[in-house]
Amino acid sequence: MQYKNKVVWIIGASSGIGAALAKQFAQQQALLILTARNSDKLDILAKELKALTSCIVLPADITRRDTLHIIVEDSLRVYGHIDILVHSAGIGQRSLAIDTGISVYNQLMDVNFFGPLTITQYLLPHFQQRGAGHIVAVGSMSGLMGFPGRSGYVAAKHALKGYFETLQVEHTIPHFYITIVSPGRVNTPLPLSALTADGRPYNKMDHAQLNGIPVDVCAQKILSGITRKKKHIIIARKERWLYWLRLLLPATYYRMARKAGIQERDQEVL
Ligand SMILES: NC(=O)c1ccc[n+]([C@@H]2O[C@H](COP(=O)([O-])OP(=O)(O)OC[C@H]3O[C@@H](n4cnc5c(N)ncnc54)[C@H](OP(=O)(O)O)[C@@H]3O)[C@@H](O)[C@H]2O)c1
């Protein structure tokens, strides 16, 4: 029960990796704050978890940057402080760069980068005052290399990694940790809400996503990385090879990444 009574704020808790992490922290009797836009989904999850621990729902849209200072103040009022902040909110993309509207890029950057950045900026003075804290930033393997059909998502995840990696090497808070998580494909509904060229949701799953790492396994690996205060964890299957190829045999990476994008388009399922 390492996390018993630790206050954990999970943003992006209504689904997928965030919801799975909430369940694992609840089993450890952490005190939870759950945030996302869909308050119905959050309420259902909170009801389930309340059998195990205290669980407060704090709905928010992290793209509404002008409201985020209020959300952060509200989050601090719930239990008086935050021990661990998990940024798991995110939105995917399924469109080629040439077709993609600028407003789609704005949305991808807002959810995947500016939202987590703004909340972190508002919360940093709290961690500084306490001399402690832990931020978990769920990035992506797409934050480590390019991938077809994801130009805005890849850009946002690179920005997220760049921001948190810089914070890792510049902060002076004594017991403050940042864990950057770079998952490959995880079996979650992420493609359903992924933005297409005109901003409409993709609304489909693809084979690769359905065959991704089970979300509970991913959450368990994240929890283990938090416990070990890891600076960066990659949770992936064969996408990991693409990453190493890019470093060691770049020409092969460029060929294989292009091929992977073409295969993905050929394998869409409803
Ligand atoms: N699944 C994968 O293969 C994979 C791989 C690499 C990285 N990731 C990253 O993992 C994180 C979690 O994704 P997931 O796979 O668990 O997908 P998911 O099931 O679709 O979860 C995404 C979460 O983000 C929340 N969210 C989206 N827009 C939001 C907004 N404007 N304000 C607040 N919350 C918002 C969603 O809740 P509401 O809709 O209720 O707001 C949901 O809780 C994301 O950052 C994603 O980029 C996933």
Side-chain angles (χ1 to χ4, degrees), residues 12-17 36-38 60-63 88-90 111 138-140 153 157 183-186 188-190 209:
S14 64
S15 172
I17 296 170
R37 290 165 304 175
N38 190 323
D61 179 344
I62 64 163
T63 64
S88 191
V111 181
V138 182
S140 170
Y153 181 74
K157 291 296 188 181
R185 285 214 174 79
V186 182
T188 72
L190 187 70
Q209 200 79 36

Side-chain angles (χ1 to χ4, degrees), residues 10-265:
I10 302 178
I11 303 175
S14 64
S15 172
I17 296 170
L21 264 175
K23 288 177 192 168
Q24 299 205 4
F25 273 118
Q27 275 158 12
Q28 300 245 356
Q29 294 180 357
L31 308 175
L32 294 173
I33 307 171
L34 307 180
T35 292
R37 290 165 304 175
N38 190 323
S39 53
D40 291 343
K41 279 194 188 174
L42 291 175
D43 285 339
I44 293 168
L45 179 62
K47 206 170 157 193
E48 179 190 330
L49 301 187
K50 271 177 185 162
L52 298 167
T53 190
S54 166
C55 192
I56 300 296
V57 165
L58 187 62
D61 179 344
I62 64 163
T63 64
R64 294 191 55 206
R65 268 184 263 166
D66 54 330
T67 66
L68 293 182
H69 65 288
I70 300 168
I71 300 298
V72 169
E73 282 162 19
D74 289 348
S75 76
L76 288 171
R77 261 194 296 274
V78 176
Y79 301 107
H81 71 276
I82 306 281
D83 290 301
I84 301 174
L85 165 66
V86 180
H87 286 299
S88 191
I91 193 161
Q93 178 188 8
R94 291 291 187 280
S95 59
L96 297 178
I98 194 165
D99 303 324
T100 303
I102 296 299
S103 65
V104 173
Y105 283 107
N106 283 337
Q107 263 179 281
L108 289 164
M109 289 302 285
D110 274 346
V111 181
N112 295 309
F113 177 59
F114 283 114
L117 166 98
T118 309
I119 290 167
T120 301
Q121 289 291 132
Y122 286 133
L123 211 49
L124 274 177
H126 172 71
F127 290 136
Q128 182 140 46
Q129 202 179 14
R130 280 175 62 80
H134 197 141
I135 299 180
V136 181
V138 182
S140 170
M141 290 293 289
S142 298
L144 309 177
M145 60 190 167
F147 194 83
R150 311 276 198 283
S151 51
Y153 181 74
V154 163
K157 291 296 188 181
H158 273 72
L160 188 81
K161 177 169 175 287
Y163 169 77
F164 279 108
E165 207 165 81
T166 302
L167 206 50
Q168 280 174 330
V169 293
E170 84 171 24
H171 81 82
T172 54
I173 307 169
H175 303 286
F176 179 63
Y177 307 97
I178 295 169
T179 300
I180 299 168
V181 184
S182 299
R185 285 214 174 79
V186 182
N187 187 359
T188 72
L190 187 70
L192 297 180
S193 59
L195 302 180
T196 58
D198 61 6
R200 275 184 289 188
Y202 180 65
N203 245 333
K204 285 184 270 191
M205 292 291 283
D206 12 56
H207 280 295
Q209 200 79 36
L210 290 168
N211 292 325
I213 293 169
V215 70
D216 295 347
V217 173
C218 175
Q220 188 270 322
K221 285 181 190 289
I222 294 175
L223 199 60
S224 153
I226 299 170
T227 304
R228 289 182 290 144
K229 301 183 171 55
K230 294 281 279 185
K231 286 197 162 34
H232 184 205
I233 44 176
I234 294 179
I235 303 170
R237 289 178 177 155
K238 61 183 178 190
E239 309 88 324
R240 192 186 288 270
W241 287 105
L242 216 49
Y243 169 67
W244 284 111
L245 276 177
R246 184 179 171 280
L247 294 178
L248 303 172
L249 293 169
T252 313
Y253 152 75
Y254 287 112
R255 209 174 49 247
M256 292 200 43
R258 179 177 279 275
K259 202 171 142 194
I262 294 165
Q263 274 173 354
E264 183 182 85
R265 284 198 293 282

